[in-house]
Amino acid sequence: DAKTTQPNSMESNEEEPVHLPCNHSTISGTDYIHWYRQLPSQGPEYVIHGLTSNVNNRMASLAIAEDRKSSTLILHRATLRDAAVYYCILRSGGSQGNLIFGKGTKLSVKP
Amino acid sequence: DAGVTQSPTHLIKTRGQQVTLRCSPISGHKSVSWYQQVLGQGPQFIFQYYEKEERGRGNFPDRFSARQFPNYSSELNVNALLLGDSALYLCASTRLGLAGGPAGTGELFFGEGSRLTVL
């Protein structure tokens, strides 16, 4: 699986939008972009995934660059409960059930 | 529906001992994966089991073993514990097939983990 690069940490104010970047310059055509987050003292939880087009769900939006070498997870209105480590992960079309996690981005949300 | 459940939640062992961790997947999920998360790092893949067979193994020594039972629950065993085995051990299950869905799109559902401390 190709590698991703994320900032170690980011800060946000409550109720403001947050844009979490991820670089994946070696992404292949069959790689899906997945985002998981891990709240303190919990296991990771799925946030969103996409292939080429931007995606929206109840938790977040995923904006994917046209060349697919980068993507951005967007939290439209950060809450204190969004403070977590966010992981950007690539999964190939033929991948098995395992994920390759990096160190992720630790998001702090200030009231 | 209950999520992925793991037991015990916390345990303390000494070097050289053996430990067994247990995982019950979400009802209907047939694939279970195990991950090790050392403090400050992302989770690292250890094993995947699907339909009671090992389908994937990460870069871990033979001291680590696992199995899956007919009811799809799973156990992770670690022998001859080392201080470096201290970590959060996470179990994840997937709904559909081996990859959790077509073309690597499936979502993994994680438990809250078993925190192992080796003294």
Side-chain angles (χ1 to χ4, degrees):
Chain A
D1 290 313
K3 189 174 178 179
T4 62
T5 303
Q6 300 178 252
N8 290 332
S9 62
M10 291 185 64
E11 277 191 354
S12 172
N13 294 317
E14 195 175 13
E15 298 193 3
E16 290 186 355
V18 181
H19 290 233
L20 297 164
C22 180
N23 288 317
H24 28 78
S25 58
T26 59
I27 191 170
S28 74
T30 58
D31 285 340
Y32 283 77
I33 303 160
H34 287 246
W35 284 80
Y36 280 73
R37 73 178 185 180
Q38 188 171 20
L39 280 64
S41 301
Q42 294 190 25
E45 66 174 344
Y46 168 84
V47 178
I48 200 167
H49 77 274
L51 182 62
T52 56
S53 304
N54 294 345
V55 184
N56 300 298
N57 66 20
R58 64 175 180 81
M59 289 181 69
S61 296
L62 177 59
I64 301 172
E66 197 168 332
D67 64 5
R68 301 212 321 127
K69 294 187 176 184
S70 65
S71 60
T72 303
L73 180 70
I74 302 166
L75 307 178
H76 295 286
R77 287 183 66 200
T79 69
L80 297 179
R81 291 171 50 196
D82 291 322
V85 178
Y86 287 79
Y87 298 98
C88 170
I89 300 165
L90 301 183
R91 293 185 76 188
S92 64
S95 73
Q96 303 298 303
N98 53 294
L99 301 176
I100 299 176
F101 289 83
K103 288 190 177 181
T105 297
K106 183 174 182 178
L107 175 66
S108 302
V109 180
K110 295 183 289 184
Chain B
D1 284 341
V4 176
T5 58
Q6 294 187 242
S7 63
T9 55
H10 295 82
L11 70 165
I12 299 174
K13 294 285 188 177
T14 57
R15 282 179 295 174
Q17 285 189 311
Q18 176 264 341
V19 68
T20 298
L21 308 176
R22 296 176 177 82
C23 171
S24 292
I26 292 172
S27 177
H29 288 197
K30 298 181 179 180
S31 176
V32 169
S33 300
W34 287 95
Y35 289 78
Q36 180 196 65
Q37 186 172 25
V38 174
L39 200 61
Q41 305 290 322
Q44 277 204 300
F45 172 70
I46 309 175
F47 285 110
Q48 184 190 19
Y49 277 76
Y50 176 67
E51 289 282 16
K52 301 178 286 295
E53 290 189 9
E54 181 184 307
R55 299 301 186 104
R57 174 187 284 254
N59 188 23
F60 281 81
D62 292 343
R63 299 184 296 107
F64 289 76
S65 63
R67 55 180 174 168
Q68 187 177 34
F69 299 98
N71 66 353
Y72 303 109
S73 67
S74 178
E75 285 183 353
L76 175 70
N77 295 286
V78 187
N79 293 322
L81 285 167
L82 304 174
L83 296 179
D85 295 331
S86 295
L88 180 68
Y89 289 85
L90 295 160
C91 175
S93 70
T94 56
R95 183 187 308 123
L96 296 172
L98 191 59
T105 62
E107 172 183 352
L108 270 68
F109 296 82
F110 285 85
E112 294 195 351
S114 294
R115 170 77 60 189
L116 171 65
T117 301
V118 182
L119 302 177

